[in-house]
């Protein structure tokens, strides 16, 4: 991940923290004028902490006793402060800074690790750069049309329209139960049958629900890992890999179109295996039949796909041609 992007995000966090602190200070000064006793209580709370800390250093053998005293005095003062605020029509946390993210307090980090909000900012930048946001305005469930699929039986299979309705129903349940089930989705079938379109529909629904979603074609996924790995210190590779592993949903489109090398197989396996162990979900799509997946990829890869993914077969006539004819 570009260091300039990281720097800009950290600068944005700093500005948000400053704004939250300034607004809290403004509220505090305004309220002190209205309720002078509140300022006295806040000052006393501060002094109690300093006093007890100094006492502990002077008499460490009495540390536990002094800490208990600290808690008792602080609790009384906090209750008095809360009562003053409430009786004057203000919530208990009125004087506290209002951060956008209460988890990291707008620092971007929690216990030395990137907060989820930080990762989401990186993902948002990626989407902006790749124009995926514009694609999702068109490719969503509001624009999904079953009329493009034939309602006639397809050989010895149900009609493509009936099959597609079942797949969409399964996809909607995947969205609905996203937080409670572990199964991922594997779309396979010929090109032009709506696999990418449906993946984008699901992506939009989950993004709208606050989930982090990354979409990559298989070639772009591998190429991104390769380029970032060539970085001198490896930091960009680790940043990129972390996003791929930690996002709520990773969509890998056109599996099988990437160059099959020892590097690509190892990287794909690492991402696949790590995310499955973490309980993270995928949508993987391919134009290849399952027999070719088994021929191209080693057993450790296809066994994980067949064992942890719901296999959904797309079939019928190329709907992209039908859409062009209708338009």
């Amino acid at each position: 991940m570009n260091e300039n992007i990281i720097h800009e995000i950290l600068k944005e966090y700093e500005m948000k923290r400053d704004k939250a602190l300034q607004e809290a200070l403004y509220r505090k000064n305004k309220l002190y004028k209205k309720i002078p006793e509140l300022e006295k209580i806040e000052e006393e709370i501060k002094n109690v902490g300093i006093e007890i800390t100094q006492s502990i250093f002077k008499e460490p053998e009495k540390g536990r006793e002094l800490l208990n005293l600290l808690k008792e005095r602080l609790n009384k003062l906090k209750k008095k402060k809360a009562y003053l605020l409430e009786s004057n029509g203000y919530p208990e946390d009125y004087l506290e800074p209002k951060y956008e993210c209460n988890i990291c307090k707008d620092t971007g980090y929690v216990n030395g690790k990137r907060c989820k909000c930080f990762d989401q900012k990186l993902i948002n930048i990626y989407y902006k750069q790749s124009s995926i946001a514009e694609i999702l305005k068109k490719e969503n469930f509001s624009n999904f049309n079953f009329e493009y699929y034939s309602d006639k039986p397809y050989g010895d299979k149900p009609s493509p329209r009936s099959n597609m309705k079942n797949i969409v129903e399964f996809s909607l349940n995947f969205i609905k139960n996203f937080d409670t089930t572990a199964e991922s989705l594997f779309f396979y079938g010929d090109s032009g049958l709506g696999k990418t379109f449906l993946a984008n529909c699901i992506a939009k629904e989950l993004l709208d629900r606050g989930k982090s979603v990354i979409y990559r074609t298989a070639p772009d996924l591998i190429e991104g890992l390769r380029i970032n790995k060539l970085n001198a210190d490896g930091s960009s590779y680790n940043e990129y890999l972390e996003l791929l592993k930690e996002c709520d949903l990773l969509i890998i489109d056109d599996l099988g179109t990437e160059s099959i090398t020892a590097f690509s197989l190892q990287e794909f396996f690492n991402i696949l295996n790590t995310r499955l162990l973490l309980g993270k979900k995928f949508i993987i799509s391919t134009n290849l039949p399952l027999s070719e997946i088994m021929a191209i990829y080693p057993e450790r890869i296809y066994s994980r796909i067949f064992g942890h993914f719901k296999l959904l077969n797309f079939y019928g006539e190329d709907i992209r041609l039908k859409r062009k004819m209708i338009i």
Side-chain angles (χ1 to χ4, degrees):
M1 184 60 63
N2 192 300
E3 289 183 10
N4 290 332
I5 293 176
I6 300 293
H7 177 74
E8 287 301 315
I9 292 176
L10 291 175
K11 188 176 179 181
E12 180 187 339
Y13 274 122
E14 185 180 354
M15 292 172 64
K16 286 180 179 180
R17 286 198 309 277
D18 288 345
K19 182 182 177 184
L21 293 171
Q22 287 171 8
E23 289 176 349
L25 183 61
Y26 173 78
R27 291 193 301 273
K28 185 176 289 188
N29 290 333
K30 189 175 180 181
L31 209 54
Y32 283 171
K33 291 177 182 178
K34 184 177 179 181
I35 316 171
E37 189 180 353
L38 192 61
E39 183 175 8
K40 294 179 182 178
I41 293 173
E42 289 247 291
E43 189 64 27
E44 193 173 348
I45 288 173
K46 187 190 301 181
N47 290 335
V48 166
I50 295 172
E51 177 188 340
I52 300 302
T53 301
Q54 290 174 343
S55 299
I56 291 172
F57 279 113
K58 289 179 182 178
E59 301 178 87
E61 69 280 359
K62 295 183 180 179
R64 186 180 296 276
E65 179 185 340
L66 293 171
L67 282 174
N68 289 335
L69 176 62
L70 168 64
K71 289 179 183 178
E72 185 179 340
R73 291 175 67 183
L74 283 180
N75 284 336
K76 286 181 180 179
L77 288 167
K78 286 179 180 179
K79 286 179 181 178
K80 192 174 180 181
K81 175 184 171 182
Y83 173 76
L84 266 179
L85 287 168
E86 187 179 348
S87 61
N88 283 275
Y90 296 96
E92 189 175 336
D93 64 348
Y94 182 75
L95 298 178
E96 301 300 319
K98 310 299 181 188
Y99 298 109
E100 271 190 25
C101 179
N102 289 320
I103 299 172
C104 70
K105 310 296 184 188
D106 289 347
T107 63
Y109 288 84
V110 180
N111 298 325
K113 293 185 177 180
R114 279 205 315 255
C115 182
K116 193 170 184 179
C117 68
F118 195 122
D119 283 342
Q120 187 60 57
K121 288 181 185 297
L122 289 172
I123 290 168
N124 290 343
I125 290 171
Y126 160 72
Y127 273 116
K128 186 176 180 181
Q129 290 176 342
S130 65
S131 302
I132 193 70
E134 290 301 313
I135 293 172
L136 296 185
K137 288 179 182 178
K138 299 176 183 177
E139 300 195 359
N140 55 68
F141 283 113
S142 298
N143 295 323
F144 199 96
N145 190 348
F146 290 108
E147 297 299 316
Y148 292 132
Y149 296 89
S150 171
D151 60 354
K152 297 178 181 178
Y154 194 76
D156 59 351
K157 299 178 180 178
S159 70
R161 185 178 302 175
S162 174
N163 180 58
M164 202 63 216
K165 285 182 178 179
N166 288 333
I167 290 175
V168 168
E169 182 180 357
F170 198 94
S171 299
L172 292 172
N173 284 327
F174 174 78
I175 296 166
K176 180 181 177 181
N177 302 315
F178 191 81
D179 293 324
T180 57
T181 59
E183 198 169 47
S184 291
L185 303 181
F186 188 81
F187 298 163
Y188 70 102
D190 293 337
S191 61
L193 295 176
K195 297 187 296 296
T196 300
F197 192 104
L198 183 55
N200 286 337
C201 291
I202 296 170
K204 184 180 186 306
E205 289 296 315
L206 290 172
L207 285 167
D208 288 346
R209 297 179 186 211
K211 301 298 182 184
S212 55
V213 181
I214 291 181
Y215 168 94
R216 300 296 279 164
T217 64
D220 286 345
L221 177 79
I222 299 303
E223 183 63 10
L225 288 165
R226 187 187 69 81
I227 291 174
N228 283 296
K229 200 160 193 176
L230 292 176
N231 183 282
D233 61 2
S235 60
S236 60
Y237 171 80
N238 292 330
E239 294 280 357
Y240 183 55
L241 190 61
E242 191 72 14
L243 280 178
L244 295 174
K245 289 179 177 179
E246 293 295 334
C247 64
D248 294 316
L249 176 67
L250 176 59
I251 301 174
I252 303 176
D253 203 7
D254 287 334
L255 184 71
T257 58
E258 76 279 13
S259 297
I260 305 298
T261 63
F263 175 80
S264 70
L265 292 174
Q266 185 59 47
E267 293 295 317
F268 179 52
F269 172 76
N270 286 342
I271 292 170
L272 179 65
N273 193 52
T274 300
R275 284 184 60 85
L276 290 177
L277 289 174
L278 291 172
K280 300 284 186 176
K281 297 183 181 64
F282 290 88
I283 296 176
I284 297 179
S285 75
T286 182
N287 296 336
L288 302 176
L290 299 182
S291 58
E292 284 195 42
I293 294 293
M294 294 177 69
I296 292 173
Y297 296 95
E299 189 270 342
R300 63 177 183 161
I301 288 179
Y302 70 70
S303 65
R304 282 168 174 78
I305 292 175
F306 295 166
H308 295 275
F309 288 65
K310 175 67 176 179
L311 307 181
L312 297 169
N313 183 209
F314 289 60
Y315 56 79
E317 299 174 353
D318 191 328
I319 65 168
R320 286 182 298 203
L321 296 176
K322 286 190 176 183
R323 287 166 65 186
K324 287 180 181 179
M325 291 171 64
I326 292 174
I327 293 170

